Short mmCIF file of all heavy atoms in Angstrom, two decimals:
data_model
loop_
_atom_site.label_atom_id
_atom_site.label_comp_id
_atom_site.label_asym_id
_atom_site.label_seq_id
_atom_site.Cartn_x
_atom_site.Cartn_y
_atom_site.Cartn_z
N VAL A 1631 -7.95 -3.79 27.83
CA VAL A 1631 -6.82 -3.09 28.46
C VAL A 1631 -6.27 -3.92 29.61
O VAL A 1631 -5.06 -4.14 29.73
CB VAL A 1631 -7.25 -1.70 28.97
CG1 VAL A 1631 -6.08 -1.02 29.69
CG2 VAL A 1631 -7.73 -0.84 27.82
N THR A 1632 -7.14 -4.41 30.47
CA THR A 1632 -6.68 -5.18 31.63
C THR A 1632 -6.04 -6.49 31.20
O THR A 1632 -5.14 -7.00 31.88
CB THR A 1632 -7.83 -5.45 32.60
OG1 THR A 1632 -8.87 -6.17 31.94
CG2 THR A 1632 -8.41 -4.15 33.14
N ALA A 1633 -6.45 -7.03 30.04
CA ALA A 1633 -5.88 -8.29 29.56
C ALA A 1633 -4.50 -8.11 28.97
O ALA A 1633 -3.76 -9.09 28.84
CB ALA A 1633 -6.80 -8.92 28.53
N GLY A 1634 -4.14 -6.87 28.59
CA GLY A 1634 -2.79 -6.65 28.05
C GLY A 1634 -2.73 -6.18 26.62
O GLY A 1634 -1.66 -6.17 26.02
N LEU A 1635 -3.88 -5.78 26.04
CA LEU A 1635 -3.88 -5.25 24.67
C LEU A 1635 -3.64 -3.74 24.75
O LEU A 1635 -4.42 -3.01 25.36
CB LEU A 1635 -5.20 -5.56 23.97
CG LEU A 1635 -5.19 -5.30 22.46
CD1 LEU A 1635 -6.05 -6.33 21.74
CD2 LEU A 1635 -5.70 -3.90 22.12
N ASP A 1636 -2.56 -3.27 24.12
CA ASP A 1636 -2.12 -1.89 24.31
C ASP A 1636 -2.76 -0.89 23.36
O ASP A 1636 -3.05 0.23 23.75
CB ASP A 1636 -0.60 -1.83 24.18
CG ASP A 1636 0.10 -2.72 25.20
OD1 ASP A 1636 -0.24 -2.64 26.39
OD2 ASP A 1636 0.97 -3.52 24.80
N ILE A 1637 -2.93 -1.26 22.10
CA ILE A 1637 -3.41 -0.31 21.09
C ILE A 1637 -4.60 -0.92 20.34
O ILE A 1637 -4.52 -2.03 19.83
CB ILE A 1637 -2.30 0.04 20.08
CG1 ILE A 1637 -1.09 0.65 20.78
CG2 ILE A 1637 -2.84 1.00 19.02
CD1 ILE A 1637 0.07 0.96 19.84
N GLU A 1638 -5.68 -0.15 20.26
CA GLU A 1638 -6.82 -0.53 19.44
C GLU A 1638 -6.59 -0.03 18.02
O GLU A 1638 -6.29 1.14 17.81
CB GLU A 1638 -8.10 0.09 20.02
CG GLU A 1638 -9.35 -0.23 19.23
CD GLU A 1638 -10.59 0.47 19.79
OE1 GLU A 1638 -10.44 1.54 20.42
OE2 GLU A 1638 -11.69 -0.07 19.61
N MET A 1639 -6.72 -0.92 17.06
CA MET A 1639 -6.45 -0.56 15.66
C MET A 1639 -7.74 -0.62 14.83
O MET A 1639 -8.64 -1.41 15.14
CB MET A 1639 -5.42 -1.52 15.06
CG MET A 1639 -4.03 -1.37 15.66
SD MET A 1639 -3.24 0.18 15.23
CE MET A 1639 -2.60 -0.23 13.60
N PRO A 1640 -7.83 0.18 13.75
CA PRO A 1640 -6.79 1.08 13.25
C PRO A 1640 -6.97 2.52 13.71
O PRO A 1640 -6.17 3.37 13.33
CB PRO A 1640 -6.98 0.98 11.74
CG PRO A 1640 -8.46 0.83 11.58
CD PRO A 1640 -8.91 0.01 12.77
N PHE A 1641 -8.02 2.80 14.49
CA PHE A 1641 -8.22 4.17 14.95
C PHE A 1641 -9.03 4.14 16.24
O PHE A 1641 -9.43 3.08 16.73
CB PHE A 1641 -8.92 5.03 13.89
CG PHE A 1641 -10.00 4.30 13.10
CD1 PHE A 1641 -11.18 3.85 13.70
CD2 PHE A 1641 -9.80 4.04 11.75
CE1 PHE A 1641 -12.15 3.18 12.97
CE2 PHE A 1641 -10.78 3.35 11.02
CZ PHE A 1641 -11.94 2.93 11.63
N ARG A 1642 -9.30 5.32 16.82
CA ARG A 1642 -10.06 5.42 18.07
C ARG A 1642 -11.51 5.02 17.79
O ARG A 1642 -12.19 5.65 17.01
CB ARG A 1642 -10.01 6.86 18.60
CG ARG A 1642 -8.61 7.36 18.86
CD ARG A 1642 -8.59 8.86 19.15
NE ARG A 1642 -9.14 9.15 20.47
CZ ARG A 1642 -10.22 9.86 20.69
NH1 ARG A 1642 -10.88 10.37 19.67
NH2 ARG A 1642 -10.64 10.08 21.92
N GLN A 1643 -11.98 3.98 18.46
CA GLN A 1643 -13.36 3.54 18.22
C GLN A 1643 -14.00 3.12 19.54
O GLN A 1643 -14.52 3.98 20.26
CB GLN A 1643 -13.39 2.44 17.15
CG GLN A 1643 -12.20 1.45 17.21
CD GLN A 1643 -12.16 0.48 16.06
OE1 GLN A 1643 -11.96 0.88 14.91
NE2 GLN A 1643 -12.29 -0.79 16.37
N GLN A 1644 -13.96 1.85 19.91
CA GLN A 1644 -14.64 1.43 21.13
C GLN A 1644 -14.04 2.06 22.38
O GLN A 1644 -14.76 2.53 23.27
CB GLN A 1644 -14.57 -0.10 21.26
CG GLN A 1644 -15.30 -0.84 20.15
CD GLN A 1644 -15.22 -2.32 20.38
OE1 GLN A 1644 -15.73 -2.82 21.39
NE2 GLN A 1644 -14.57 -3.03 19.48
N ARG A 1645 -12.72 2.09 22.45
CA ARG A 1645 -12.08 2.64 23.65
C ARG A 1645 -12.36 4.13 23.81
O ARG A 1645 -12.50 4.63 24.93
CB ARG A 1645 -10.57 2.37 23.60
CG ARG A 1645 -10.21 0.92 23.85
CD ARG A 1645 -8.71 0.72 23.81
NE ARG A 1645 -8.34 -0.62 24.29
CZ ARG A 1645 -7.09 -1.03 24.42
NH1 ARG A 1645 -6.07 -0.22 24.12
NH2 ARG A 1645 -6.82 -2.25 24.85
N ALA A 1646 -12.45 4.85 22.71
CA ALA A 1646 -12.71 6.28 22.78
C ALA A 1646 -14.05 6.57 23.45
O ALA A 1646 -14.24 7.61 24.08
CB ALA A 1646 -12.68 6.89 21.39
#
Side-chain angles (χ1 to χ4, degrees):
V1631 178
T1632 59
L1635 192 145
D1636 301 311
I1637 301 177
E1638 179 183 26
M1639 292 292 278
F1641 38 67
R1642 302 170 72 243
Q1643 37 187 65
Q1644 297 182 62
R1645 287 181 170 184

